[in-house]
Amino acid sequence: MTGDLFRLTIADARDLLHRRELSAEELTRACLDRIAEVDRRINAFITLSPREALAQAAAADDRLRHGDAPALCGIPLAIKDIFLTRGLRTTCASKILDHFVPPYDATVIARLREVGAIFLGKTNLDEFAMGSSGENSAFGPTCNPYDPTRVAGGSSGGSAAAVAAHECLAALGTDTGGSIREPASFCGVVGIKPTYSRVSRFGVIAFASSLDQVGPFTKTARDAAILLNTLAGVDPHDSTCAARPVPDYEDALTRDLKGLRIGAPREYFIEGMAHEVDTAVRAALKQYEALGATLIDVTLPHTEYAIATYYILATAEASANLARYDGIRYGLRVPAENNIELYNRTRARGFGAEVKRRIMLGTFALSSGYYDAYYLKAQKVRTLIRDDFARAFECCDLIADPLQMYLSDIFTISVNLAGLPGISVPCGYDSGGMPIGLQLISPPFGEKTLLCAADAYELSGALTRRPAVI
Ligand code: GLN
């Protein structure tokens, strides 16, 4: 095999690997060379693991030679630096974990290891996944492969950019309020946040535990289905993980959208949205109609409260989760005369400005006397937002909305508050050549419908994908 191997999709690489027309080693080397060539300009990676990756590739080739290897065997992936990886530095883009080497794997990492996937390295993010642009990383922002003077989105910007720049075949991210779907839309790749509880979070550094979810970044919807097949499913280490059986997501890609009802929420097509985004999304919806779907007007009346609700809940939970970084157990320690001083100095030096802001806000929201007024109230509004979706889904199967830089948080956050799955698929480019994403949202555990709808749109040829300029 010659040519740009790093441009392959998982599905195509899988076929070539299984037919022994390509080796995992060749493919891994192609990605590592690509990283060496472009990552200076992208900054998608915080840590690389070329030696380990090549050892994994050799083992994968052994398995492939013996036949009957799993779908992801020999597929090079990039991993957001929020997943614990045994023996490989995991920083969460924070100085407080600068030298932290985890003694065990996150469940999803262990599963990927087991099926023979290859880890190229750990990707950049906003510190502790707090942000929408990647600019809060202690390791500098990730640049957008479609225009390196712009951001790649956040918080999983490194993973999205690594896929868009073909530094890997696919990547893992996490999404607390949009961190998979936003960077996917900025970088013109597919990103899916599964239903809350669909994928284990054991060994994933916690930001806001009632919102965090794990998901893949891929070049195609089919690749997302292939990855989700391995990621999803019950985990005895994570009691919040659903016991529901995992369907074969790749089997769901039937291209049949007859009778599918897509809701277009009034509140999401709002003023302030860039004209070109509006046009691209409306054109995508037209294409869905041509494919056999019906468009329906729906309303999500509590959308305007989503951001306020999210920032109370997310910061409150973060303030509790981040209490563990005390300089005693792991990570940075700034020595002092006594423990209180040690905590203070360690946290003052280790955390960046955004993380400190959120810890302060969250601690305040949870403090006695304020708990009822803020946290409890936010939980009640959260129920109203969830009920909005439940009501809308009485008359439609999917909800569609646009994804774009300025307004993106408002479109993504409600989905986390309601615990629903959402996918972002490329649906156009603006006049500056920047990608535009269409978000599709489904009822809980509707990943099959989301992936099927995304795949059908992709294969309809309505959008000619443009390569990144990198
Ligand atoms: N942009 C949101 C925030 O800053 C969401 C981040 C995320 O999903 N991790 O909190």
Side-chain angles (χ1 to χ4, degrees), residues 80 82 126 128-133 136 154-156 174-182 207 212 310-311 314 354 358 409 412-413 416:
K80 184 179 185 180
I82 197 169
D126 287 292
F128 286 104
M130 296 175 182
S132 313
S133 66
N136 296 332
S155 66
S156 319
T174 59
D175 188 314
T176 303
S179 279
I180 290 176
R181 293 156 289 154
E182 287 173 22
F207 166 9
D212 299 340
Y310 169 86
Y311 277 98
E354 180 63 18
R358 294 199 189 201
D409 269 14
T412 54
I413 271 167
N416 300 72

